Amino acid sequence: MKYPKSLIKLIEGFQMYPGIGPKTAERLAFFTIQKLSEEKIFSFSDSLKEAFLKIKKCKVCGNITENDVCDICIDSERENILMIVEAAKDVLVFEKTNQYNGKYHVLGGLISPLNGVSPEDINIKKIISRIEEEKIKEIILATSATIEGEMTALYIKNILADKGVFVSRIGYGLPAGGDIEYADEITLMKALEGRKKM
Amino acid sequence: MKYPKSLIKLIEGFQMYPGIGPKTAERLAFFTIQKLSEEKIFSFSDSLKEAFLKIKKCKVCGNITENDVCDICIDSERENILMIVEAAKDVLVFEKTNQYNGKYHVLGGLISPLNGVSPEDINIKKIISRIEEEKIKEIILATSATIEGEMTALYIKNILADKGVFVSRIGYGLPAGGDIEYADEITLMKALEGRKKM
């Protein structure tokens, strides 16, 4: 005996996602047909297509939006600072801090020779034209503290060297709640370098 | 800044599922719009509706099927043994062993006074009519070795007392690969009770 075809198709659908193996996919498929109402299933089904059809990249910054230009780029009260981030997700992360009122620029990836991602493959070129058009006075490089993140930050810093713009990199050090006992040496070294007068 | 509405709706959709929290739902929604092809998204979306519309319970045994009667109940070569299981999932689990060629009866739940599930709420009544109609000679009670599973097995055993059918319960003991050092006392006690001549 095998599962009905329509159930197998649904299980395979869930299995496309990262972190969802055969057992979990089966559990989710059974949950769908046994626990969810018709209304919820149809709404979820529609939302998959809708998200695909409606969401596009902002023409200015590369952030996700349902319009041509995203809410942040349209907002005239934002300061002329540009924070360079890897992905659209990172924009929301910084927005949630409520500490930043500048604009963003989403790279859509990081330079990674090992994975065949060169500077031309990500949204770097537009940074230069934005500096002029939007009279940007500071660029904050907010890529991750990984090899690819560092490499990308360094690359962008270099191409901006003669553009007359102040370039900064987000701070390094212990994360909030970080225990010195468990911190690795590079983090501690960077935390020492980044020490501040109390 | 918030996420576009269609993305929020998709995230909420994933969050309906057990074990999927806000962070995972976000990750899955982003994976959908950034990594999956239009074809795959549409196929997954359709499979949700399709599974809901096509899958129903077998009129005879309660197993899931796309037809009125499931493949197992229709199969005339199955022996006249009836294995009572909690859920449709369990049927496939036993089928995978290739050691059982009887039929099944899916309860769709277990008796659980604490959760307000009484014997009338699950598919018990039909067992008696099936015994007569299908000339069943043995009933195997294959519910879990939990309190609810035991209670349900005991209840069914009692109502079958005068039906002239042999009633058995699946074996207890150490699971395959089970380490005696880590087994609990009840399991060990049951394993002793269930010992066999070598």
Side-chain angles (χ1 to χ4, degrees):
Chain A
M1 181 247 180
K2 281 177 194 165
Y3 284 141
K5 265 186 198 164
S6 53
L7 186 64
I8 292 175
K9 202 183 151 202
L10 182 58
I11 294 173
E12 285 170 351
F14 279 112
Q15 254 187 281
M16 295 186 300
Y17 289 90
I20 298 187
K23 284 266 169 185
T24 309
E26 206 178 284
R27 198 168 47 81
L28 297 175
F30 268 100
F31 185 85
T32 308
I33 56 167
Q34 293 181 333
K35 307 277 176 182
L36 292 180
S37 64
E38 174 169 4
E39 195 199 333
K40 282 188 174 170
I41 295 173
F42 275 62
S43 152
F44 179 45
S45 168
D46 291 340
S47 72
L48 281 159
K49 290 182 185 172
E50 230 178 271
F52 174 80
L53 294 171
K54 282 191 180 169
I55 295 172
K56 40 196 174 177
K57 281 184 184 173
C58 167
K59 280 185 179 170
V60 179
C61 74
N63 189 12
I64 50 166
T65 175
E66 286 181 2
N67 309 309
D68 282 346
V69 177
C70 77
D71 295 352
I72 296 176
C73 287
I74 262 179
D75 183 355
S76 60
E77 301 203 342
R78 293 268 172 169
E79 295 173 44
N80 295 346
I81 306 177
L82 208 55
M83 187 188 286
I84 317 286
V85 293
E86 178 189 348
K89 254 184 189 177
D90 303 334
V91 173
L92 201 79
V93 174
F94 277 103
E95 284 294 283
K96 277 181 184 163
T97 66
N98 278 323
Q99 295 296 313
Y100 178 72
N101 194 35
K103 300 172 179 180
Y104 295 88
H105 189 81
V106 180
L107 295 173
L110 293 174
I111 301 171
S112 171
L114 273 177
N115 298 314
V117 184
S118 69
E120 290 77 41
D121 298 324
I122 60 176
N123 189 19
I124 290 181
K125 224 174 167 181
K126 233 186 236 168
I127 300 172
I128 295 165
S129 54
R130 286 190 72 185
I131 291 174
E132 286 163 25
E133 281 159 25
E134 301 173 41
K135 289 170 190 139
I136 300 296
K137 50 187 187 186
E138 179 176 354
I139 298 270
I140 303 176
L141 296 165
T143 50
S144 302
T146 57
I147 295 178
E148 277 96 356
E150 293 296 336
M151 208 187 321
T152 308
L154 198 65
Y155 181 89
I156 297 172
K157 190 206 121 194
N158 286 338
I159 61 163
L160 297 180
D162 58 347
K163 304 291 174 208
V165 66
F166 181 76
V167 180
S168 66
R169 178 86 173 103
I170 47 164
Y172 291 106
L174 276 188
D179 193 322
I180 288 191
E181 193 180 342
Y182 300 114
D184 62 295
E185 286 125 52
I186 296 176
T187 300
L188 289 178
M189 202 181 72
K190 298 277 187 183
L192 266 177
E193 276 175 22
R195 67 188 183 275
K196 273 186 177 179
K197 190 171 179 300
M198 279 181 76
Chain B
M1 181 250 179
K2 280 178 196 163
Y3 283 142
K5 267 185 198 165
S6 52
L7 186 63
I8 293 175
K9 203 184 151 204
L10 182 58
I11 294 173
E12 286 170 351
F14 278 112
Q15 256 188 276
M16 296 186 301
Y17 288 90
I20 298 187
K23 283 266 170 184
T24 308
E26 205 177 287
R27 196 168 48 83
L28 297 175
F30 268 101
F31 185 86
T32 307
I33 57 168
Q34 292 180 334
K35 306 279 177 180
L36 291 180
S37 64
E38 173 170 6
E39 195 199 332
K40 283 188 173 171
I41 295 173
F42 276 61
S43 153
F44 179 45
S45 167
D46 292 338
S47 71
L48 282 159
K49 290 181 184 172
E50 231 178 86
F52 174 80
L53 295 172
K54 284 192 180 170
I55 294 173
K56 39 194 176 180
K57 281 184 185 172
C58 167
K59 280 184 178 169
V60 179
C61 73
N63 189 14
I64 49 166
T65 175
E66 286 182 3
N67 309 309
D68 281 346
V69 177
C70 77
D71 295 351
I72 295 176
C73 287
I74 263 182
D75 185 352
S76 59
E77 303 204 341
R78 293 267 170 170
E79 296 173 43
N80 294 347
I81 307 175
L82 209 56
M83 187 187 284
I84 316 288
V85 294
E86 178 187 348
K89 253 184 192 180
D90 303 334
V91 173
L92 202 78
V93 175
F94 277 105
E95 283 294 283
K96 276 181 185 164
T97 66
N98 277 321
Q99 295 295 313
Y100 178 71
N101 194 36
K103 299 171 178 181
Y104 295 89
H105 190 81
V106 180
L107 295 173
L110 292 175
I111 301 171
S112 172
L114 273 177
N115 297 315
V117 183
S118 70
E120 291 76 41
D121 297 326
I122 60 175
N123 190 19
I124 289 182
K125 225 176 168 181
K126 231 187 240 168
I127 300 174
I128 296 165
S129 55
R130 286 191 73 187
I131 290 175
E132 287 162 26
E133 281 160 26
E134 300 173 41
K135 293 173 185 138
I136 301 297
K137 49 186 190 188
E138 179 176 353
I139 299 270
I140 303 175
L141 295 165
T143 50
S144 302
T146 58
I147 294 177
E148 278 95 357
E150 293 296 336
M151 208 187 321
T152 308
L154 199 65
Y155 180 88
I156 297 174
K157 190 207 121 188
N158 286 338
I159 61 163
L160 296 182
D162 58 349
K163 302 291 172 208
V165 66
F166 180 77
V167 181
S168 66
R169 178 90 172 99
I170 47 163
Y172 291 107
L174 276 187
D179 194 320
I180 288 192
E181 194 179 341
Y182 300 116
D184 62 295
E185 288 126 51
I186 296 175
T187 300
L188 288 179
M189 202 180 73
K190 297 278 186 182
L192 266 179
E193 276 173 22
R195 68 188 182 275
K196 273 187 177 176
K197 188 170 183 298
M198 279 182 75

